[in-house]
């Protein structure tokens, strides 16, 4: 019986499909929840080196990979995003996806060398740079020609549907986890009105990133200048408040998303002010008055929605998000709920910061 191929051999075989050279080094890359991501350093016959990012894609989370890759190919080819997103690679046959010996799908990008990403930050200027990059990203995408991008995950930010899925998971309690989650279930139910705060149709649809965690921005080492936006699988029509709100959730809290000490999770107003300034610098001219008013609610809704998603996944046996142990999603839920409480307690201050930014030239007023 043939022995299964080693991970290194698989990566070497996948990289070879992209005519990149002989594998010299490889390893895991990043901290994403969904795909498995690796760097691969290749050496050409002439002795030159090239680095790729290889991703083994998750077909469970993204069952419609055709839609994912069709969108990605359009985004990567958009002239206004040249150099601002990673270059998507193709095989000699022109394919952007290859399959390994087990039939699993892979894709490859040129690695943007000399860059670094951050899972948590406490530097206002770094937060401002990330927010400006995401704002500039949606500004550049406003010129994308052709039909609307496809929705590989329909209802990705449908908070009403997320709440319904959560309640259904509570009712089933398939893994007997509802008991330990009682305080968190109560806290999520108490905030059910947040499902009505941002409803598509009441705000303009834009082409948005939809996963604006700060670790989806690459910064130049040394200068820490934001140079690229990555993780583009969720780029679809959406609301600016979703992008701004998810960034608030991830970038203004100086503790990890899965911190074992959720009581330390808090929204820092100095980081929020830096974030708002950067966002208006990047996306300010694009926004309408209604979109200005949606920004702070966006932070509340996105934090609540992710808490719902973590809770649903915990109740369903950790099937969606990658976890290290059976308490991982529980820690994530508690951090999000603590963060949400912090936002609620400071909402007046956050609204004042947005009003101040609106009054600047970059705020489009």
């Amino acid at each position: 019986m043939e022995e299964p191929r080693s991970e290194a051999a698989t990566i070497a075989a996948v990289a070879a499909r992209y005519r990149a050279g002989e594998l010299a080094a490889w390893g895991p890359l990043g901290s994403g929840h969904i795909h498995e991501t690796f760097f691969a350093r290749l050496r050409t016959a002439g002795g030159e080196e090239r680095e790729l990012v290889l991703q083994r894609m998750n077909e469970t989370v993204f069952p419609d990979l055709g839609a994912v890759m069709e969108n990605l190919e359009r985004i990567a080819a958009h002239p206004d995003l040249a150099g601002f997103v990673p270059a998507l690679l193709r095989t000699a046959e022109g394919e952007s996806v290859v399959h390994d010996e087990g039939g699993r799908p892979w894709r490859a990008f040129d690695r943007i060398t000399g860059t670094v990403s951050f899972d948590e930050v406490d530097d206002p200027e770094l937060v401002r740079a990330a927010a400006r990059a995401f704002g500039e990203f949606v500004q550049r995408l406003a010129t994308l020609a052709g039909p609307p991008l496809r929705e590989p995950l329909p209802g990705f930010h449908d908070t009403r549907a997320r709440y319904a899925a959560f309640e259904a998971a509570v009712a089933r309690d398939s893994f007997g986890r509802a008991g330990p989650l009682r305080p968190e279930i109560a806290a999520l139910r108490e905030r059910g009105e947040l499902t009505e705060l941002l409803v598509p149709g009441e705000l303009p649809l834009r082409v948005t990133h939809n996963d604006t965690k700060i670790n989806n921005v690459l910064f130049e080492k040394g200068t820490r200048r934001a140079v690229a936006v990555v993780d583009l699988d969720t780029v679809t029509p959406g609301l600016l408040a979703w992008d701004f709100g998810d960034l608030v959730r991830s970038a203004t809290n100086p503790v990890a998303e899965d911190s074992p000490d959720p009581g330390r999770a808090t929204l820092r107003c100095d980081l929020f002010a830096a974030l708002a300034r950067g966002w208006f610098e990047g996306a300010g001219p694009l926004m309408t008055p209604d979109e200005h008013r949606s920004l702070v609610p966006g932070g509340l809704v996105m934090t609540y929605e992710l808490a719902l998603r973590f809770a649903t996944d915990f109740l369903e046996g950790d099937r969606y998000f990658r976890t290290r142990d059976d308490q991982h999603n529980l820690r994530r839920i508690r951090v999000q709920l603590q963060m949400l409480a912090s936002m609620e307690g400071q909402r007046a201050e956050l609204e004042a910061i947005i009003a101040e930014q609106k009054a600047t030239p970059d705020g489009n007023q």
Side-chain angles (χ1 to χ4, degrees), residues 26 57 75 86 101 124 139 155 165 187 213 215 238 266 271 273 311 319 345 360:
W26 69 279
M57 291 183 285
I75 294 162
E101 74 286 353
Q139 183 85 263
K213 297 189 299 291
N215 60 10
T266 186
L271 296 180
R319 298 187 305 172
T360 69

Side-chain angles (χ1 to χ4, degrees), residues 74-119:
R74 288 182 61 193
I75 294 162
H78 184 40
D80 288 351
L81 286 174
F84 200 63
V85 297
L88 179 66
L89 303 185
R90 293 181 181 272
T91 67
E93 298 77 28
E95 300 295 328
S96 58
V97 175
V98 303
H99 292 82
D100 63 22
E101 74 286 353
R104 295 166 298 186
W106 291 73
R107 64 186 173 192
F109 304 89
D110 266 325
R111 188 176 185 185
I112 302 176
T113 57
T115 61
V116 64
S117 64
F118 302 94
D119 289 327

Side-chain angles (χ1 to χ4, degrees), residues 178-192:
L181 199 63
R182 274 196 302 269
E184 290 76 22
I185 291 171
L188 290 166
R189 285 173 168 167
E190 288 169 3
R191 293 173 167 88

Side-chain angles (χ1 to χ4, degrees), residues 139-161:
Q139 183 85 263
R140 293 185 186 209
L141 273 172
T143 61
L144 184 68
L149 293 174
R150 294 173 64 185
E151 292 191 62
L153 295 174
F156 186 64
H157 283 317
D158 185 339
T159 316
R160 293 168 174 169

Side-chain angles (χ1 to χ4, degrees), residues 262-276:
R264 293 180 55 237
T266 186
L267 183 146
R268 277 180 39 184
C269 272
D270 63 324
L271 296 180
F272 181 87
L275 186 155

Side-chain angles (χ1 to χ4, degrees), residues 165 168-169 172 174-175 177 311-319:
R172 285 191 300 269
S174 302
F175 292 82
R177 291 179 166 186
T312 303
D313 198 39
F314 178 75
L315 291 163
E316 294 182 339
D318 307 321
R319 298 187 305 172

